[in-house]
Amino acid sequence: MRYFSLLSIVLLFACKKQVPASINRVNPQQLEVLWSTPIIQDETYESSYSMNPVLYSNKVIFSNEHTLDGYNAPLLFLDTATGEIKDIWNDYSHENPAFINESVARENEYLILGGHVSVNCLNLITREAQWRGPIGDNPPFLYIKNGFVYRGVDYNFGSSFNNSSAVLRTPVESRSWDTVYAFDQPDGF
C-alpha cells in the first residue's frame, strides 16, 4: 500500500502541467484590429466556408466559397500589413470547391487543394498551378509527410459496390500518383 501511495504521489508531481514563463497572456479587449477587408460582395450572405488562413511571405491566403470580383470560389492573397487583396486565384482543374481545413495542405511554397474530383497544387511563389488533375469522386482529405501528398480513394465511391480503396501518394512538386496501399474486400466494407 505504501508503494502504491508513493508511486501515486510521484506520478502526480511528474504529470503536473508546466506553463512556460514566456507566454504572455493578453486580454482580448486589449488587442487592436489592424485591418479589415470585406471578401463577400453579395450582402445576402453573412459568412463563407473557408480554409484556415495560410501565411506565406508577406501574404495571408484563404478561400471564399462565393463569387468575388467575377471569380468563383477564389483563393485570396492579402497583404499582411494592409489587408489589401493583392491577387486572386481560381484556376481549378475540374471544380470550384469550398476548401476546408482537411482538404488543404502546405509544404514550403506549395499549397495543395483537394476537391472531391480533383487535386490542385498551387505554387505560392508564382501563384500559378504547379500541377492539377482528376482523382475520382472521393472525399477531399489530404495529408503531407516527407515531401509527399497522400490521398485516400474509394473505388466506386457512393455505390453499394464500393469494396476497394487505396492510399495514393505523389511528390509535392509534381503530379505522379503512386499506390502506397490497396485494400480489396469482396464482401464490401
Side-chain angles (χ1 to χ4, degrees):
M1 182 68 176
R2 285 186 192 182
Y3 176 74
F4 180 75
S5 298
L6 181 60
L7 180 63
S8 298
I9 292 171
V10 169
L11 285 175
L12 282 174
F13 282 110
C15 295
K16 182 180 175 186
K17 184 178 177 181
Q18 298 292 325
V19 178
S22 63
I23 292 179
N24 183 7
R25 307 267 183 212
V26 176
N27 181 345
Q29 295 172 343
Q30 295 174 332
L31 297 176
E32 176 186 356
V33 175
L34 297 179
W35 50 262
S36 176
T37 303
I39 63 164
I40 301 174
Q41 290 175 329
D42 186 341
E43 294 178 8
T44 59
Y45 298 110
E46 294 180 3
S47 63
S48 175
Y49 284 110
S50 180
M51 63 187 198
N52 281 335
V54 173
L55 290 174
Y56 184 78
S57 186
N58 61 347
K59 303 289 182 283
V60 60
I61 306 154
F62 59 97
S63 58
N64 177 355
E65 70 173 318
H66 304 294
T67 300
L68 181 69
D69 293 337
Y71 294 94
N72 188 27
L75 290 186
L76 306 170
F77 293 78
L78 278 72
D79 185 290
T80 55
T82 66
E84 179 184 356
I85 297 175
K86 293 293 190 179
D87 202 359
I88 296 177
W89 184 88
N90 80 332
D91 190 19
Y92 306 108
S93 65
H94 288 80
E95 60 188 323
N96 292 339
F99 294 108
I100 55 173
N101 303 335
E102 296 84 5
S103 62
V104 176
R106 178 179 160 238
E107 183 162 304
N108 301 321
E109 70 269 22
Y110 301 109
L111 184 65
I112 314 298
L113 307 164
H116 284 280
V117 298
S118 65
V119 177
N120 298 270
C121 176
L122 177 62
N123 183 315
L124 296 176
I125 295 172
T126 64
R127 295 191 201 133
E128 294 180 3
Q130 179 77 16
W131 56 265
R132 58 187 171 200
I135 192 139
D137 189 6
N138 281 277
F141 309 119
L142 299 170
Y143 178 71
I144 289 185
K145 179 86 174 166
N146 297 330
F148 287 92
V149 178
Y150 292 83
R151 165 88 179 234
V153 294
D154 293 332
Y155 299 105
N156 303 316
F157 180 67
S159 165
S160 60
F161 300 108
N162 182 10
N163 61 0
S164 59
S165 61
V167 175
L168 306 178
R169 78 176 187 175
T170 184
V172 172
E173 70 280 351
S174 65
R175 182 176 173 259
S176 179
W177 294 103
D178 214 3
T179 302
V180 175
Y181 178 79
F183 175 80
D184 187 35
Q185 176 69 31
D187 299 339
F189 291 128

